[in-house]
């Protein structure tokens, strides 16, 4: 009573708010006696506040409408961004029925909620960025999250705040608060924060008079109808006359097509949703265009923007070679490909015909079109495996799980919050920039495909063993970038390329799809798998066995005779004679992989092979961690998340930074100035490689065998890809697959899913 009487004449008070994330949400909550008692207290406060000040509404943050007792809805983090890496869809969740994650136990018994516009809707907080590691942010912005002091939070906010604000404004949400746009002390800090790029993006998205574009595609085919969704907004307190013009311009500024929304008076907080359609010009080669929008009020420009568009020829002319075949018993799939502008390939009617085509180097297999049944999946995969072993490339296009289990390294589906717990993505991130299948592509090309924006409707969990190289990475939540829609499994002289990308289904609407089809079908790096031996300590060999290492564990004298020699620093003698043996093996064309050498032995081998560098201690300061340096093909398939080795992560709250391993490497190498003959595979210099004679020297001082690493799946994935790039043959591996449950009820509460 005292508070309301004191502040009810304050113009800054808009709403009375009684609680924060602590109120009953469903009738089931009242079964708890303490919650029921609290509800009675709140009801009394609501009655007293309304009596003292009937001019304002009352909210209870994150309590929806307090079991129907309030005049508005209030929600916090209704659809947590990090659990749904499928933006922009996540931003527009309010347009359809939604089952809140915070319902917790008994969630499946609850009806979905939909905003019926019967009460105002206020979002107390959205796009909350919690996480003990950068994995949360990486699911939205990729590997760069591990390179930023703020875990990439600013990049996430700059990307997602405008999308969410646009979505909420289009749906006429009454209020929303970005968490946390300005959480500062003092006027000076506030001015500085307002100049940050993510804050400017937030401010621009929330401008009072606005013409908002809700179509996010940037690539189109010529000759097609391009539909653009827009909304006009007057979020001032006055009636305002608005007029909108849109134009499609070529790169010289010439207007190709235009549209005008007639003048109309918009009331306070008024908005209008509409669509415009432009016919895109027919082209013989790709060209850049711009979609321009101008909003005027009383003949004065109040909002203006320009969005670049790339328009491609109506049919992509992807010409394959007869050495590339498509398994298609009925010929329908081949006809579909030719209709999409892909030609030049051979049509294989029956899997048994592969033997009759010795010239065949690559085969595209889409199980849904190839007539593969569950009953004969084992036989078909055996024939494909023989083809790959002889040096062929088989691209499995969107294989079902019952086929993926027959692969040399079985693949499991990555779990997310999509339908059937699938991980759906609208953006993939490059993990293998040196792969010939991805040459010339950027991460801009790997997002927002076609009309529905999806790049893949499911992904695979990246294995922790076997000869697997993930070409693209994706992920969700605290698990980070541990999923992939595109992987290479190397076997013999060839490769199984496994893709869940929406390539063939989007050939007619996504220009990048035909380019990828052409490359994925035949372009791969052939890795010669060689016999390997290891002279390592027990912890190292145990770890190697987990990822499928099948090589012999032998004495130091014998290891140098193998094509690949893996040696632990602890197994090397104190006298320098071993360095001469290593140099001799390198000159004979062997790969010498030296692990956990320490400073002195690192300096010794560097001097023996003529590397001008300095070896230093590999320990890191508090909060520091190493990063992948994609300086050569040896780092293909690696992400920064693999090196983020945490210790006792389970003992910290999810919003606190997890403690990192203080001594992840026994030494690091700092190359001499101007030296380009040393490949730094991690930026800290913990892993380096150099061509020596006809052999390859690798110095890996990362202590991946350390048992104190709480998340051994990170170094397992690192070593799996790295050794595969070196040509070390790995079996399936003995490490575990995906977790049984994606997220427990307790974890949902911790992450803000409630």
């Amino acid at each position: 009573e005292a508070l309301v009487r004191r502040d009810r004449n304050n113009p800054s008070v808009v709403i009375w708010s009684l609680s924060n994330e602590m109120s009953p949400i469903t009738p089931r909550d009242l079964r708890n006696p303490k919650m029921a008692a609290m509800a009675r207290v709140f009801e009394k406060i609501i009655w007293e506040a309304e009596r003292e000040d009937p001019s304002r509404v009352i909210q209870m943050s994150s309590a929806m409408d307090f079991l129907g007792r309030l005049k508005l809805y209030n929600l916090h983090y209704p659809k947590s961004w990090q659990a749904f890496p499928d933006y922009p869809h996540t931003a527009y969740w309010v347009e359809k029925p939604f089952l809140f994650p915070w319902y917790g136990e008994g969630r499946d018994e609850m009806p979905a909620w939909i905003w019926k516009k019967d009460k105002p809707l206020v979002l107390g907080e959205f796009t909350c960025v919690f996480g003990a590691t950068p994995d949360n942010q990486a699911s939205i912005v990729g590997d760069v999250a591990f390179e930023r002091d703020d875990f990439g939070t600013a990049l996430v906010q700059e990307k997602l705040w405008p999308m969410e604000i646009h979505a909420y404004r289009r749906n006429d949400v009454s209020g929303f608060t970005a968490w946390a746009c300005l959480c500062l002390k003092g006027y000076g800090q506030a001015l500085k924060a307002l100049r940050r790029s993510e804050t400017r993006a937030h401010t621009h998205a929330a401008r009072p008079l606005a013409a908002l574009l809700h179509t996010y595609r940037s690539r189109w085919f010529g000759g097609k109808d391009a539909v653009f969704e827009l909304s006009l907004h007057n979020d001032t307190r006055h009636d305002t006359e608005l007029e909108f013009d849109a134009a499609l311009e070529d790169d010289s500024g010439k207007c190709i097509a235009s549209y005008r929304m007639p003048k109309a008076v918009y009331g306070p907080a008024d908005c209008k949703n509409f669509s415009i359609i432009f016919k895109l010009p027919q082209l013989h080669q790709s060209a850049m265009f711009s979609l321009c929008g101008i909003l005027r009020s009383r003949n004065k420009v109040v909002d203006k923007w320009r969005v670049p568009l790339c328009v491609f020829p109506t049919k992509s002319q992807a010409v394959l070679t007869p050495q590339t075949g498509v398994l298609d018993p009925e010929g329908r799939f081949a006809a579909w490909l030719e209709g999409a502008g892909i030609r030049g390939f051979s049509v294989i009617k029956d899997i048994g015909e592969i033997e009759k085509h010795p010239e065949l180097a690559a085969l595209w297999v889409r199980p849904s079109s190839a007539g593969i049944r569950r009953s004969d999946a084992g036989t078909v995969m055996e024939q494909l495996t023989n083809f790959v072993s002889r040096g062929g490339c088989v691209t499995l296009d969107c294989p079902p799980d019952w086929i993926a289990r027959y692969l040399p390294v079985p693949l499991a589906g990555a779990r997310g919050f999509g339908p059937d717990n699938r991980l759906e993505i609208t953006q993939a991130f490059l993990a293998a920039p040196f792969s010939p299948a991805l040459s010339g592509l950027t991460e801009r090309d790997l997002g927002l495909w076609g009309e529905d924006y999806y790049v893949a409707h499911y992904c695979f969990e990246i294995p922790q063993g076997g000869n697997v190289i993930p070409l693209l990475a994706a992920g969700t939540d605290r698990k980070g970038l541990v999923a992939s829609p595109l992987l290479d499994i190397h076997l013999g002289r060839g490769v199984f390329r496994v893709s869940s990308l929406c390539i063939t289904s989007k050939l007619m609407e996504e220009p990048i799809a035909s380019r990828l089809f052409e490359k994925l079908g035949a372009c791969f790096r052939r890795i010669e798998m060689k016999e390997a031996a290891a002279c390592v300590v027990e912890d190292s060999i145990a770890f190697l066995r987990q990822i499928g290492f099948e090589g012999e564990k032998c004495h130091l004298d014998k290891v140098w005779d193998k094509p690949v020699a893996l040696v632990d620093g602890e197994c090397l003698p104190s006298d320098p004679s071993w360095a001469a043996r290593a140099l001799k093996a390198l000159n004979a064309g062997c790969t010498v992989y030296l692990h956990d050498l320490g400073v002195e032995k690192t300096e010794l081998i560097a001097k023996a092979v003529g590397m001008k560098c300095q070896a230093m201690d590999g320990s890191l300061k508090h909060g520091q961690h190493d990063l992948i340096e994609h300086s050569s093909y040896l780092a293909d398939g690696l992400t920064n998340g693999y090196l983020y080795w945490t210790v006792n992560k389970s003992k910290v709250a999810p919003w606190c930074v997890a403690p990192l391993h203080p001594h992840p490497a026994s030494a690091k190498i700092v190359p001499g100035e101007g030296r380009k003959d040393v490949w730094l595979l991690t930026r800290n210099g913990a892993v380096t490689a150099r061509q020596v004679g006809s052999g390859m020297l690798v110095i890996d001082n990362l202590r991946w065998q350390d048992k104190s690493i709480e998340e051994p799946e990170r170094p397992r994935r690192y070593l799996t890809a790295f050794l595969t790039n070196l040509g070390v043959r790995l079996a399936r591996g003995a490490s575990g697959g995906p977790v049984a449950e994606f997220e427990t009820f307790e974890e949902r509460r911790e992450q803000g899913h409630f």
Side-chain angles (χ1 to χ4, degrees), residues 161-413:
W161 274 347
M163 286 188 186
E164 296 219 37
I165 291 171
H166 288 187
Y168 297 146
R169 294 184 73 179
R170 185 174 88 172
N171 286 282
D172 208 19
V173 172
S174 297
F176 40 79
T177 303
W179 192 97
C181 185
L182 295 174
C183 187
L184 309 155
K185 292 182 179 179
Y187 184 66
Q189 280 193 19
L191 288 179
K192 185 177 179 181
L194 286 170
R195 293 191 291 268
R196 296 196 303 248
S197 58
E198 73 274 18
T199 314
R200 291 201 304 269
H202 174 280
T203 303
H204 183 67
R207 58 199 185 275
L209 297 175
L212 304 180
L213 178 64
H214 302 276
T215 298
Y216 300 92
R217 290 180 66 179
S218 61
R219 296 175 298 272
W220 301 79
F221 278 122
K224 301 280 188 179
D225 285 341
V227 181
F228 298 97
E229 297 180 63
L230 298 104
S231 58
L232 301 185
H233 299 267
N234 170 29
D235 280 333
T236 70
R237 292 172 292 174
H238 315 285
D239 289 347
T240 303
E241 182 184 82
L242 296 178
E243 178 185 17
F244 176 71
D245 289 302
L248 183 67
E249 299 179 355
D250 63 17
D251 57 355
S252 66
K254 179 182 176 182
C255 181
I256 306 299
S258 63
Y259 171 87
R260 168 162 290 185
M261 174 73 76
K263 292 181 181 179
V265 175
Y266 290 73
D270 202 358
C271 69
K272 181 179 180 64
N273 300 327
F274 63 100
S275 298
I276 59 176
I277 301 177
F278 286 141
K279 190 76 168 183
L280 299 175
Q282 295 272 11
L283 299 174
H284 296 292
Q285 60 183 12
S286 61
M288 292 302 298
F289 291 80
S290 295
L291 178 67
C292 308
I294 298 177
L295 183 66
R296 294 182 176 89
S297 177
R298 297 182 178 86
N299 297 320
K300 180 182 178 182
V301 175
V302 293
D303 192 21
K304 185 177 181 179
W305 42 259
R306 176 183 294 267
V307 176
L309 306 173
C310 189
V311 181
F312 291 76
T314 305
K315 280 189 179 181
S316 299
Q317 299 302 319
V319 182
L320 307 181
T321 66
Q323 285 76 37
T324 301
V326 172
L327 184 61
D328 187 15
E330 299 181 358
R332 296 178 183 176
F333 185 48
W336 159 257
L337 294 177
E338 290 174 353
I342 296 176
R343 51 194 175 85
F345 53 87
S346 301
V347 179
I348 307 299
K349 295 288 186 181
D350 186 86
I351 190 68
E353 293 183 18
I354 296 180
E355 303 289 343
K356 302 176 184 178
H357 293 270
E359 79 286 354
L360 203 64
L363 185 65
W364 190 284
V365 180
R366 184 172 178 82
S368 60
S369 303
I372 303 175
R373 300 182 297 272
R374 286 177 182 260
S375 57
D376 57 10
T379 303
V380 172
M381 289 302 294
E382 183 179 356
Q383 292 171 303
L384 294 177
T385 298
N386 293 334
F387 175 72
V388 169
S389 299
R390 296 194 301 267
C393 173
V394 169
T395 300
L396 282 175
D397 180 10
C398 294
D401 56 359
W402 49 269
I403 285 183
R405 70 169 65 110
Y406 285 101
L407 287 163
V409 180
L411 298 178

Side-chain angles (χ1 to χ4, degrees), residues 17-26 29-30 32-43 45 59-67 70 74-77 102 125 749 752 754:
S17 186
L18 302 188
S19 70
N20 182 48
E21 302 180 5
M22 60 178 289
S23 311
I25 298 174
T26 70
D29 296 331
L30 298 181
N32 182 320
K34 291 185 178 180
M35 195 70 90
M38 184 168 64
R40 291 192 293 272
V41 172
F42 277 134
E43 286 180 322
I45 297 175
Q59 76 166 17
M60 300 174 71
S61 292
S62 196
M64 296 181 70
D65 62 345
F66 185 40
L67 307 174
L70 297 177
N74 181 285
L75 305 174
H76 274 27
Y77 319 128
W102 60 51
E125 298 175 17
R749 290 188 63 85
F754 302 97

